[in-house]
């Protein structure tokens, strides 16, 4: 009994230490953008924490970093009344509006000195209010109508940049306000993956953020790369900072992410106008979408004197940027074939300049979207640049029609290989059925060599096109058959470049299993699920052999993904592909768990009874791989006994000594949690 208590106390301490470490690294990575450890080391810390919580679920408290992964779905969101209303902002559109704002303020205050302002970017996201009690996140709510929003705490907890526990000398009670958003690069990557899969792409990062926050299943929210920028408070116990700039510094000290890099103090309204122009020039190079600049009186004292009107503070204004929309004409429509054969329509536009960028094509997404817009060839349309690299058609200007417009046809043959295309029930796009479609192969190669997949440096679109033209590559494994002599046939290919490319191709043979799974381009399996599958199965062989039930048993995997994975690995072409890869030495590496980072480290295991699910030797090997010890006899030093049917005296002795007894299943679960991804 004493031993068991000792183990529990120790695990609690380990858990606390791990949670603190994870919170710390989370903060460095997500709030400060200054990581100090690798992703793999971070994952290892998380796995150790999860393994402890698996054994002692009571340790999975709401402020545990494990809560970032989401929990059971809700039936609805409870309503959440704000302690103080979440106000909106008045709008300004130009320098004159800003000057008028300054004059109004000075008149109201009868102030003849210059007013200092703080200029902040207005991120295009979703406003939330985060409540902290005794430093712990207790509620996350949407703005709603400003008085009452929705309680989305479960979803808020999944956002890594939102602290679950405050740092430093935080106040007893605090309500922070901020904008949840998605970085453009993350948004584009998601859309790129969806486009390849022939799935409906998202219109802009804001809509995707709003949709992600409104998921009743927080596990889905957890899979979306959301982040936050905090800009104010709704309530604060204790002393308030004297300026808004100091408040932002405080927020950062307490662990929140603030948009420091684009926030400026302005001595007077003329400087505000300069910042507005400068920020507008920066707009296209920022990693997130902004739709304006928020100007606030910096002094908290003056803010209090100015107070608020019915729904807006007098001391702040949002100076909007012009919408990035223009009108142009759809001249024709072309069809693109993706990696999975999805045929998607793209509008060729009469070139138009939208805030400094010439736009000559727009995504039409699919035929549902064409129908929704009612767009035809020859139509005048409003086009918007809104986050995605490919602009969107917002609407058709129907009163510009003269009757010459033509319906956009749905192709019945693949524009690349001429094979029939079929649109299956429930699908929004038709797909090319050709097994040897060059367009599919081109896209598959692009995907396979991309950074998140096999990361083959130097193998870009241009080179892929050359390799295909010369018929040097006719399948994915062909990449690993390329020789120097082959490459020399290509235009502008010298000794150095060829050597570099061959080296990069060879290096990719050892990529992580999760990258390889992603690179295979299994339908519905993006980076996140590839990682999950890699962790769960640990080897390609195990994944290939998995059946639907095994896949469905994995948290986050539903019938659509399970069926897609099974049918992919049952396909004869896939088996041939995998065989070729193996013969060519492409041996993806499951992530090795560092023995130091497991909670089996230093623990002694005894196996007894008839083991049915693995041999004793395998069990002992697993323990040793994780830094533990296997022993043949039970003593006070034994930490766990793994008992199968028919266990006798060893089990009895373990009971007497109060040693935890694990079934084979418990043991496997412990190993699974602990070693997700260990090569066995
Ligand atoms: O909706 C908002 C976005 C950004 C804001 C805001 C903001 O500051 C950067 N600030 C205030 C004071 C309010 N709404 C009410």
């Amino acid at each position: 009994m004493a031993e068991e208590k000792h183990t529990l106390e120790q695990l609690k301490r380990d858990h606390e230490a791990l949670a603190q470490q994870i919170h710390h690294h989370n903060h460095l990575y997500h709030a400060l953008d200054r990581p100090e450890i690798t992703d793999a080391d971070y994952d290892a810390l998380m796995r150790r924490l999860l393994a402890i919580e698996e054994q002692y679920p009571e340790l999975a408290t709401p402020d545990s970093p494990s809560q970032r992964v989401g929990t059971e779905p809700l039936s609805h969101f409870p309503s959440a009344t704000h302690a103080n209303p979440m106000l909106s902002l008045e709008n300004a559109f130009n320098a004159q509006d800003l000057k008028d704002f300054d004059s109004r303020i000075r008149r109201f205050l009868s102030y003849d000195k210059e007013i200092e302002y703080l200029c902040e970017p207005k991120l295009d996201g979703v406003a939330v209010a985060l409540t902290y009690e005794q430093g712990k996140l207790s509620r996350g709510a949407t703005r709603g109508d400003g008085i009452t929003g929705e309680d989305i705490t479960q979803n808020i907890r999944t956002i890594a940049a939102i602290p679950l526990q405050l740092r430093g000398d935080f106040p007893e009670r605090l309500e922070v306000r901020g904008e949840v958003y998605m970085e453009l690069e993350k948004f584009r990557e998601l859309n790129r993956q969806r486009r390849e899969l022939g799935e409906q792409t998202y219109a802009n990062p804001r809509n995707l953020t709003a949709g992600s926050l409104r998921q009743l299943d927080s596990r889905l929210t957890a899979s979306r790369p959301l982040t936050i920028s905090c800009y104010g408070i709704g309530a604060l116990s204790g002393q308030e900072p004297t300026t808004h700039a100091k408040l932002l510094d405080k927020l950062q000290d307490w662990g929140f992410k603030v948009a420091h890099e684009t926030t400026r103090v302005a001595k007077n309204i003329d400087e505000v106008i300069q910042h507005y122009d400068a920020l507008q020039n920066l707009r296209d190079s920022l990693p997130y979408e902004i739709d304006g600049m928020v100007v606030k009186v910096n002094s908290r004292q003056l803010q209090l004197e100015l107070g608020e009107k019915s729904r807006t503070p007098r001391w702040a204004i949002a100076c909007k940027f012009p919408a990035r929309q223009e009108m142009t004409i759809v001249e024709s429509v072309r069809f693109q074939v993706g990696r999975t054969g999805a045929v998607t329509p793209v509008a060729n536009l009469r070139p138009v300049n939208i805030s400094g960028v010439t736009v000559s094509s727009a995504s039409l997404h699919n035929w549902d979207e064409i129908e929704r817009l009612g767009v035809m060839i020859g139509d005048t349309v409003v086009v918007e640049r809104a986050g995605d690299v490919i602009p969107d058609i917002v609407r058709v200007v129907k009163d510009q029609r003269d009757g010459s417009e033509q319906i956009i046809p749905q192709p019945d043959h693949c524009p690349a290989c001429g094979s029939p295309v079929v649109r299956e029930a429930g699908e929004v796009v038709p797909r090319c059925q050709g097994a040897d479609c060059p367009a599919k192969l081109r896209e598959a190669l692009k995907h396979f060599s991309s950074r998140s997949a096999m990361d083959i440096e130097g193998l870009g679109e241009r080179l892929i096109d050359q390799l295909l033209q010369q018929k040097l590559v006719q399948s994915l494994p062909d990449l690993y058959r390329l020789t120097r002599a082959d490459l020399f046939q290509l235009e502008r290919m010298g000794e150095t470049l060829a050597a570099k490319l061959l080296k990069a191709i060879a290096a990719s043979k050892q990529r992580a299993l999760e990258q390889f799974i992603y690179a295979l381009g299994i339908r519905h399996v993006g980076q996140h699920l590839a990682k999950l599958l890699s962790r769960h199965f640990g080897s390609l062989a195990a994944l290939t052999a998995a059946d639907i039930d095994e896949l469905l048993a994995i948290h986050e995997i539903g019938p659509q993904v399970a069926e897609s994975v099974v049918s992919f690995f049952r396909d004869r072409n896939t088996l041939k592909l995998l065989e070729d890869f193996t013969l060519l030495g492409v041996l993806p590496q499951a992530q090795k768990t560092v023995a130091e980072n497991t909670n089996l480290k230093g623990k002694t295991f005894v196996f007894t009874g008839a083991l049915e699910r693995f041999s004793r030797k395998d069990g002992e090997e697993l323990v040793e791989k994780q830094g533990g010890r296997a022993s043949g006899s039970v003593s006070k030093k034994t930490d766990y006994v793994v008992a199968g049917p028919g266990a006798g005296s060893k089990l009895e002795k373990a009971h007497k000594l109060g040693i935890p007894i694990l079934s084979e299943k418990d043991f496997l679960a412990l190993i699974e949690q602990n070693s997700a991804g260990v090569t066995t």
Side-chain angles (χ1 to χ4, degrees), residues 554-593:
I554 305 173
H555 184 63
E556 284 190 62
I557 291 195
Q560 193 185 38
V561 174
E563 263 160 43
S564 168
V565 171
V566 169
S567 77
F568 180 82
F569 286 109
R570 295 284 181 275
D571 187 326
R572 290 250 236 72
N573 293 326
T574 305
L575 298 181
K576 169 84 177 76
L577 192 79
L578 295 181
E579 189 182 277
D580 280 2
F581 277 133
T582 309
L583 293 174
L584 289 160
V586 181
L587 301 167
Q589 303 292 299
Q591 220 183 340
K592 287 215 172 55
T593 298

Side-chain angles (χ1 to χ4, degrees), residues 74-340:
L74 297 171
S75 58
H76 70 286
F77 295 117
S79 60
T81 303
H82 302 296
N84 292 304
M86 283 185 84
L87 303 175
S88 10
L89 292 171
E90 248 176 58
N91 286 330
F93 296 94
N94 50 43
Q96 188 56 50
D97 291 347
L98 286 171
K99 284 188 175 157
D100 293 347
F101 167 68
D102 182 59
S103 307
R104 278 200 302 278
I105 286 180
R106 285 153 46 132
R107 209 175 316 121
F108 190 92
L109 294 171
S110 307
Y111 205 72
D112 53 8
K113 280 183 279 174
E114 286 184 332
I115 298 209
E116 187 174 86
Y117 292 101
L118 198 73
C119 306
E120 296 171 83
K122 187 167 188 315
L123 274 83
D124 200 6
V126 177
V128 294
L130 313 170
T131 309
Y132 289 82
E133 284 163 82
Q134 262 79 40
K136 291 195 191 311
L137 176 71
S138 57
R139 191 181 82 173
T142 57
R143 181 177 182 284
D145 61 6
I147 307 292
T148 307
E150 284 179 317
D151 182 334
I152 53 161
T153 312
Q154 290 211 48
N155 293 348
I156 286 292
R157 281 191 203 288
T158 68
I159 301 173
I162 295 181
L164 300 175
Q165 162 73 57
L166 299 184
R167 312 160 62 82
D169 63 338
F170 52 80
E172 221 168 84
R173 200 183 145 75
L174 174 70
E175 190 199 301
V176 173
R177 289 170 181 183
E179 201 86 357
V180 173
Y181 67 97
M182 189 179 289
E183 283 192 356
L184 281 164
E185 209 177 296
K186 303 261 164 58
F187 170 77
R188 288 175 184 151
E189 174 61 20
L190 276 180
N191 256 3
R192 200 180 58 71
Q193 288 181 18
R194 290 182 75 86
R195 204 169 280 126
E196 276 181 1
L197 295 173
E199 287 168 10
Q200 183 110 33
T201 46
Y202 303 108
N204 55 55
R206 208 203 78 81
N207 285 8
L208 178 53
T209 301
S212 305
L213 284 181
R214 293 215 72 258
Q215 294 295 329
L216 289 167
D217 188 342
S218 55
R219 291 169 296 194
L220 221 140
T221 316
S223 74
R224 303 268 166 84
L226 300 176
T227 185
I228 193 169
S229 177
C230 296
Y231 57 72
I233 49 169
L236 169 81
S237 61
Q239 192 79 32
E240 272 191 49
T242 52
T243 65
H244 191 68
K246 286 186 182 154
L247 171 71
L248 294 185
D249 288 343
K250 272 275 169 227
L251 288 180
Q252 192 167 33
D253 291 347
W254 293 330
F256 295 99
K257 188 171 155 188
V258 295
H260 264 317
E261 67 289 355
T262 37
T263 296
R264 298 278 179 278
V265 176
K267 284 205 301 284
N268 52 39
I269 200 68
D270 290 332
E271 276 198 16
V272 168
I273 293 165
Q274 280 170 24
H275 287 318
Y276 175 68
D277 292 339
L279 192 61
Q280 202 164 334
N281 287 333
L282 261 187
R283 188 181 183 189
D284 277 339
S285 59
L286 292 175
Y288 40 75
E289 281 261 78
I290 57 174
D291 58 0
M293 184 174 93
V294 181
V295 183
K296 294 174 188 168
V297 171
N298 199 17
S299 152
R300 180 67 189 139
Q301 179 56 39
L302 293 185
Q303 284 183 5
L304 289 169
E305 285 174 34
L306 283 159
E308 54 215 36
K309 294 194 255 179
S310 65
R311 308 208 77 176
T312 56
R314 279 196 193 84
W315 45 267
I317 198 160
C319 197
K320 304 291 260 224
F321 292 146
R324 296 200 278 197
Q325 290 187 346
E326 288 297 336
M327 274 206 266
T328 187
I329 291 169
V330 176
E331 292 189 324
S332 59
V333 170
R334 65 178 190 274
F335 301 101
Q336 275 180 348
V337 184
R339 179 166 53 81
T340 58

Side-chain angles (χ1 to χ4, degrees), residues 602-623:
K603 300 279 188 278
T604 304
F605 282 71
V606 173
F607 292 86
T608 180
L611 300 172
E612 294 169 330
R613 304 174 69 151
F614 48 83
S615 70
R616 183 166 310 217
K617 189 164 158 285
D618 284 348
E620 290 173 356
E621 252 179 42
L622 276 172
V623 168

